[in-house]
Amino acid sequence: MRKYISYIIILLIAVMASGDVLGAKPKKQQRRTRAKTTKVVKKQSKTKARSKSKSKAKAKGKTKVVRPVVQAAPDPRLDDPDYNPFLQCEDTCGHVHGIDLSRYQGDVFWETVGENTKMAYVYLKATEGGDRIDPKFERNINLAHRYGLKVGSYHFFRPKTPLQKQLENFTAQCLPGEQDLIPMIDVETLGGLEVNQFCDSLLTFLQMVEKAYHQKPLVYTFRNFYNWHLVGKLDDYQLMIALYLEEEPVLADERDITMWQYTGKGRIVGINGYVDKSRFLGRHGLRDIRFRHK
């Protein structure tokens, strides 16, 4: 009996030992598993680190760049100590004033200009030489009329350009039905001609304009240009003399002057930049340059 019990105990111990052996893993296998686990943990940590760095980089990339607000450049006229946007006339306002314009003034706000009661008239550049037409002329003459200004047109004279060609260019734009003031001829250059040749060309052209419009045109020129080249040549024509000084112009032959352009840097609300301004001298007025319609 004891022998059987001993065998049973030995058998149970053997079974238990074999169970431990079957359930246990070899040491090498355990080491490999641990190594794999460690590698997986390390890979996961590296992956997390990379993802964090990428997310940071993306966050940086998505960060809105705050750019400084670019403000419009200040109006340079505001730096001019003499600039007054509400100034109606640089000279005494007791006279009848006017302006002359060309494309260089750009698009004029004629409604605003028309509200300036001191600006009674305007001369608009229509043509130059034989083929040049001021691109703003049509717009200017239509709107100037609409807002109540007395309007005249002028031609810039080129002494060497064929006179008939210049006349045709001017008369095609300066239509009698659109004129309140007599035509004006702008004379500023000899054009490379000798004085006698120049005067002959100019006088012939003035006579051609007079014949076309049935009245003598107004002649615009500078005081010095007149004194050097035109003394005694234009006695039958009214003059607008440009002189940008404080004193009224006096010509070498002391002849009568109808109008004085007293500044080339005038200001007026409704016109950006400078504008030429003029006024009548003595007892002259709009009646002296009125266009006579037949």
Side-chain angles (χ1 to χ4, degrees):
M1 186 70 179
R2 289 180 180 177
K3 287 181 181 181
Y4 290 118
I5 293 171
S6 299
Y7 288 140
I8 292 171
I9 292 170
I10 292 169
L11 181 61
L12 290 173
I13 291 170
V15 171
M16 291 175 64
S18 63
D20 289 340
V21 172
L22 291 172
K25 291 182 179 180
K27 290 183 179 179
K28 289 183 178 180
Q29 188 176 354
Q30 288 179 357
R31 286 175 184 174
R32 287 177 184 173
T33 306
R34 288 176 185 173
K36 286 183 180 179
T37 305
T38 305
K39 287 181 180 179
V40 171
V41 172
K42 285 182 179 180
K43 285 183 179 179
Q44 289 178 352
S45 61
K46 286 182 180 180
T47 304
K48 288 181 180 179
R50 286 176 184 171
S51 62
K52 285 182 180 179
S53 62
K54 285 183 180 179
S55 62
K56 287 182 180 179
K58 287 182 180 179
K60 287 182 180 178
K62 291 182 179 179
T63 302
K64 292 183 180 180
V65 179
V66 179
R67 301 184 183 276
V69 178
V70 179
Q71 296 181 348
D75 191 333
R77 294 179 295 175
L78 300 178
D79 295 329
D80 183 354
D82 299 323
Y83 174 60
N84 179 356
F86 302 102
L87 191 64
Q88 293 183 319
C89 44
E90 280 75 3
D91 187 70
T92 170
C93 289
H95 301 92
V96 179
H97 291 255
I99 54 179
D100 64 82
L101 300 174
S102 67
R103 64 184 178 88
Y104 296 108
Q105 280 72 43
D107 289 332
V108 175
F109 296 94
W110 283 106
E111 182 178 6
T112 305
V113 175
E115 293 174 354
N116 188 336
T117 56
K118 295 298 179 182
M119 297 298 112
Y121 63 88
V122 56
Y123 266 102
L124 303 171
K125 184 177 181 180
T127 52
E128 178 177 340
D131 55 5
R132 295 184 184 179
I133 299 171
D134 192 288
K136 298 295 182 182
F137 176 70
E138 186 174 356
R139 177 184 188 275
N140 284 340
I141 197 167
N142 289 334
L143 293 179
H145 273 304
R146 181 183 301 178
Y147 293 108
L149 289 161
K150 300 297 182 183
V151 182
S153 305
Y154 76 89
H155 172 79
F156 191 96
F157 180 63
R158 291 290 181 185
K160 277 190 172 181
T161 303
L163 302 182
Q164 184 60 35
K165 192 174 181 181
Q166 292 197 66
L167 181 66
E168 291 173 359
N169 187 28
F170 185 50
T171 55
Q173 303 302 319
C174 179
L175 305 179
E178 298 178 342
Q179 309 304 308
D180 301 305
L181 311 176
I182 59 176
M184 182 169 74
I185 307 303
D186 186 345
V187 183
E188 301 183 28
T189 176
L190 295 178
L193 299 178
E194 294 182 357
V195 175
N196 290 336
Q197 290 179 305
F198 162 75
C199 289
D200 289 343
S201 177
L202 174 61
L203 289 171
T204 301
F205 184 69
L206 293 175
Q207 291 167 5
M208 293 169 68
V209 172
E210 180 180 353
K211 185 177 180 180
Y213 292 99
H214 307 290
Q215 49 209 306
K216 293 182 182 294
L218 177 70
V219 177
Y220 166 92
T221 191
F222 287 88
R223 183 188 66 174
N224 287 345
F225 191 90
Y226 178 91
N227 288 340
W228 291 338
H229 310 301
L230 293 171
V231 171
K233 303 290 185 180
L234 300 175
D235 292 345
D236 294 334
Y237 297 92
Q238 297 189 81
L239 300 175
M240 179 191 287
I241 297 295
L243 178 65
Y244 304 152
L245 299 175
E246 291 185 2
E247 73 266 16
E248 294 183 5
V250 177
L251 300 177
D253 56 5
E254 297 185 353
R255 63 151 296 178
D256 182 60
I257 299 172
T258 302
M259 304 166 77
W260 170 29
Q261 188 183 91
Y262 57 86
T263 181
K265 292 186 176 182
R267 304 287 195 179
I268 184 171
V269 179
I271 299 176
N272 293 323
Y274 294 131
V275 60
D276 298 334
K277 290 186 177 182
S278 59
R279 70 172 178 85
F280 288 97
L281 292 177
R283 296 183 179 181
H284 292 292
L286 283 170
R287 63 185 180 280
D288 297 306
I289 60 170
R290 180 177 57 83
F291 192 101
R292 297 188 307 276
H293 295 275
K294 292 186 177 182

